[in-house]
Amino acid sequence: METILAQIVTGLSIASILLLVALGLAIIYGTTGVINLAHGEFVMIGAYTAWALQTYVGIGLIESLVVIFFTVALFGWIIEKVVIRHLYRRPLDTILATWGIGVMAQQAIRLAVGGELRYVEMPSAMSSSVSILGLEISAFRLFILALSALIFGFTWYLMYRTSLGMKLRAITQDREIASCFGIKSKRIYSLTFAYGAGLAGLAGALVSPLKSVSPEMGTTYVVDAFMVVVLGGVQSLVGTVASSAILGELTGFLAFYSNDTMAKVLVFCAIVVLIRFRPQGLFAAKVRT
Amino acid sequence: MKLGRRTFIKGTVAAGAVTAAGFPHIWIKDSSLAYAASGEIKVGVLFSLTGTTAIVEESLHKATILAIEEINAAGGINGMQIKPIVEDPASDPATFAEKARKLVLGDKCVSVFGSYTSASRKAVLPVFEKRKNLYFYPTLYEGRECSKNVIYTGAVPNQQQDEFVPWLIEKFGKRWYLIGSNYIYPKEENNYCKKLLAEAGAEVVHEEYVPLGHSEFSSVINKFRSEKPDVIFSTVVGDSVVALHRQYRAAGLDPEKMPMASLTTSENEVAAMGGDAAAGHFTSAPYFMVHESPENQKFVEAYRSRWGGDKVTHFVSEPSYFQVHLFKQAVEKLSAGDISPKTIVEAIKGEEMIAPQGRVRIEPENLHAYLWPKIGQSQSDGQFKVLKTTSEWLKPEPYKAYQNQVCTEAGLKEI
């Protein structure tokens, strides 16, 4: 019983990291239809920003989260202005362009700070474990869990309770009609892209104390993020949460009862089977295309 | 002058006959002198300077270059300078093979120093065996190889484990958890470990392999908690090592009760995870940066003054350094006209020197090195504390896990 409980918590922890990484991608993909292969590099840049702030400026992780969000959001905003906005009606070209941006970002980081593995210090208050219901749980993982719930809540509020969100949903449903009603779709797109990039940056900063920071780290996260988005359905925030939870728990349990190699194989197989029979994902929103 | 087809052929044949029959001695002499032409000995340096394993391989490259520069500054080998030809195989086995071919055939290097991963060594092996050239390989590896064209100066499983495993059983207990990355090296090491555990009456409570580059260890840590092993024997490599250690610490596990014993965690990995995450865990290796000897002091000082004061030396960069000096000792015994890969192999058999780790020797039978395994405990300052050194050097036995095979001078023998 205790191990099962521990495993459920572990699954939630994996799910919270998946959600953090995938949320930004889901918003960008869902709204603008851009398949952003540079998403992993946004995560990586967030991790490096955290590392740089800690090493050169001496600010801890928690204090620097806001700075990291705006730094990576700014980076995303520039990318959107310079490259992406010219390609909105050419989905295949965006794949190539964002992939190229990703490669450039990796090599730029490598040239600027070297290829060595880096790490970000865990906030000292959370560097040990806490006891809950007889379970030893890493305090930092709980923090990630809470923060990802908070970020999701904020994003949901932004989308469904603000005028910005309403405009955004209008564009998602039909860009031309929305423009006819005076919504500046270009501006909304830029802001969405920047927001998604900022979320990815936060994700990178938050996982950096648990994992290693390297120029190539983004490639694994972008795969995870696409898995979540594909399973959950493209335009659905709830779908993103649900599919993060499903994938997190599934990976956790399979890894526990067999091993991580098997878990990876089985999860991929399950997703392939699922999109064969339900290509729109589990929670597809109805959209006019 | 009109040159008819028939006269041309006649002339060519005649000239050919003269060359073949008339000056055979000069012909042979010239070709072997090519290895030491114009007072230079050309060697290849083949470590990745870009790509995924560049992080480690760069330090091996630097140790190799340092040794070459030292030898040249002290007058070279019998008055001849070593000329390093540097190639960057970009962490890609196919590029390794291509660059090796270039160094051996194009540049006519007499030996090549290179490789970190087993995959890259396996990729260049056919080049050196087919062209009868010589490769110097500095990395600890899984053993089970018996090439006559490779000098292996890193540890094989028996050298890292023979002292380490019994010591851990005695100090911590008999319930072992084996975890490794999912490829050949961890599987071979665990194979040998299980043999030692069986001999000591210890048991393996769990054995598992995670994908290369894996970074989510929370389920693994839950298994640590539920199995409660006495020792976690880790052959996880690369950035996975960093993630495993950091998550182990975040989960609040205690290295005093359930230590991780690793064959792959060096000063390099510790620098990437932070001293706090590594503190208390154990590593077995022939070399640690803190090892106290005049030779090591000289090596560390030379390395830092050449490449930067914050650089670390570790158990793969040290063999990269001493194997060049062993090469020098072997070539020194040869006259300039006799220098060739074949004569160097013969000259290096049984050759000894005092390396930073202690006195090392090339075993004539299998061309691996006698080494001095040590047990180190990681400290929070990022260095190791050496707890135990073997009382005598350990013989390399690359086939020790396989009782019916042995590597001899004539090649692999089935018993």
Side-chain angles (χ1 to χ4, degrees), chain B residues 93-127:
Chain B
T95 315
F96 261 94
E98 182 193 313
K99 299 287 184 188
R101 220 169 284 128
K102 185 230 165 215
L103 289 169
V104 169
L105 295 175
D107 297 317
K108 303 234 178 318
C109 292
V110 72
S111 293
V112 177
F113 304 94
S115 277
Y116 173 63
T117 62
S118 285
S120 67
R121 186 192 69 253
K122 292 279 189 204
V124 301
L125 207 53
V127 179

Side-chain angles (χ1 to χ4, degrees), chain B residues 206-371:
Chain B
H206 199 87
E207 178 181 358
E208 75 171 306
Y209 299 92
V210 297
L212 276 168
H214 189 65
S215 67
E216 181 56 73
F217 284 95
S218 43
S219 290
V220 168
I221 284 169
N222 278 345
K223 279 186 254 187
F224 289 169
R225 278 197 218 281
S226 65
E227 295 282 1
K228 296 190 179 57
D230 297 323
V231 176
I232 299 162
F233 189 71
S234 155
T235 39
V236 171
V237 301
D239 40 4
S240 301
V241 174
V242 178
L244 176 61
H245 278 81
R246 294 193 67 82
Q247 290 169 32
Y248 176 103
R249 181 155 182 271
L253 296 178
D254 184 3
E256 280 187 25
K257 292 191 191 112
M258 201 193 284
M260 286 197 268
S262 169
L263 303 178
T264 47
T265 311
S266 74
E267 288 84 352
N268 219 15
E269 280 78 14
V270 173
M273 70 180 76
D276 288 339
H281 299 292
F282 299 94
T283 296
S284 165
Y287 173 84
F288 290 106
M289 191 174 172
V290 293
H291 176 62
E292 280 178 29
S293 74
E295 289 76 21
N296 186 39
Q297 197 183 348
K298 191 177 146 254
F299 170 50
V300 173
E301 274 169 19
Y303 191 87
R304 290 192 151 177
S305 73
R306 177 68 178 85
W307 301 113
D310 59 338
K311 296 279 185 263
V312 293
T313 58
H314 53 89
F315 56 61
V316 193
S317 71
E318 188 248 8
S320 307
Y321 171 80
F322 81 66
Q323 68 181 12
V324 181
H325 284 278
L326 270 177
F327 166 84
K328 173 207 170 222
Q329 277 180 224
V331 176
E332 227 164 24
K333 297 198 290 188
L334 306 168
S335 68
D338 279 341
I339 297 173
S340 76
K342 198 169 179 321
T343 52
I344 294 174
V345 178
E346 289 308 316
I348 208 164
K349 285 179 181 173
E351 198 58 44
E352 292 183 16
M353 72 170 282
I354 302 181
Q357 63 172 277
R359 181 173 281 275
V360 296
R361 171 173 188 263
I362 298 297
E363 161 62 42
E365 294 263 311
N366 56 31
L367 302 179
H368 288 62
Y370 280 78
L371 300 170

Side-chain angles (χ1 to χ4, degrees), chain A residues 182-202:
Chain A
I183 295 172
K184 288 180 184 144
S185 65
K186 275 185 184 166
R187 187 170 154 270
I188 303 284
Y189 271 17
S190 305
L191 286 177
T192 311
F193 204 85
Y195 183 69
L199 287 185
L202 275 187

Side-chain angles (χ1 to χ4, degrees), chain A residues 84-103:
Chain A
I84 308 292
R85 73 187 174 102
H86 303 292
L87 304 172
Y88 278 128
R89 297 193 182 271
R90 294 148 62 189
L92 276 180
D93 295 341
T94 57
I95 296 180
L96 195 60
T98 51
W99 183 69
I101 291 166
V103 172

Side-chain angles (χ1 to χ4, degrees), chain A residues 9-214:
Chain A
V9 176
T10 296
L12 281 180
S13 168
I14 300 176
S16 66
I17 294 175
L18 283 177
L19 176 63
L20 270 178
V21 177
L23 195 56
L25 187 81
I27 291 169
I28 293 175
Y29 187 32
T31 314
T32 65
V34 170
I35 296 175
N36 178 23
L37 289 185
H39 192 73
E41 276 60 45
F42 291 159
V43 174
M44 183 266 293
I45 289 170
Y48 269 97
T49 313
W51 169 77
L53 285 172
Q54 181 165 79
T55 314
Y56 298 116
V57 193
I59 330 176
L61 181 66
I62 308 292
E63 297 82 355
S64 51
L65 282 179
V66 176
V67 183
I68 292 164
F69 176 81
F70 283 107
T71 311
V72 185
L74 179 70
F75 179 73
W77 188 77
I78 294 170
I79 296 289
E80 203 275 343
K81 284 286 175 207
V82 178
V83 184
I84 308 292
R85 73 187 174 102
H86 303 292
L87 304 172
Y88 278 128
R89 297 193 182 271
R90 294 148 62 189
L92 276 180
D93 295 341
T94 57
I95 296 180
L96 195 60
T98 51
W99 183 69
I101 291 166
V103 172
M104 282 189 270
Q106 276 184 28
Q107 300 309 322
I109 290 285
R110 184 182 280 283
L111 286 175
V113 296
E116 292 104 312
L117 298 177
R118 310 283 183 183
Y119 69 95
V120 174
E121 203 64 66
M122 210 170 273
S124 56
M126 295 172 212
S127 65
S128 57
S129 61
V130 288
S131 238
I132 298 170
L133 300 169
L135 294 177
E136 287 287 312
I137 303 166
S138 156
F140 189 72
R141 281 187 183 272
L142 280 182
F143 171 70
I144 294 187
L145 191 62
L147 202 64
S148 63
L150 199 72
I151 290 173
F152 175 76
F154 180 75
T155 306
W156 185 86
Y157 180 82
L158 204 66
M159 292 279 268
Y160 292 96
R161 291 289 180 272
T162 64
S163 70
L164 180 76
M166 197 160 70
K167 289 175 190 166
L168 201 146
R169 281 181 291 132
I171 295 173
T172 308
Q173 286 185 1
D174 195 317
R175 186 175 175 175
E176 273 73 29
I177 300 290
S179 300
C180 291
F181 280 92
I183 295 172
K184 288 180 184 144
S185 65
K186 275 185 184 166
R187 187 170 154 270
I188 303 284
Y189 271 17
S190 305
L191 286 177
T192 311
F193 204 85
Y195 183 69
L199 287 185
L202 275 187
L206 285 168
V207 298
S208 59
L210 285 174
K211 305 186 177 185
S212 63
V213 179
S214 71

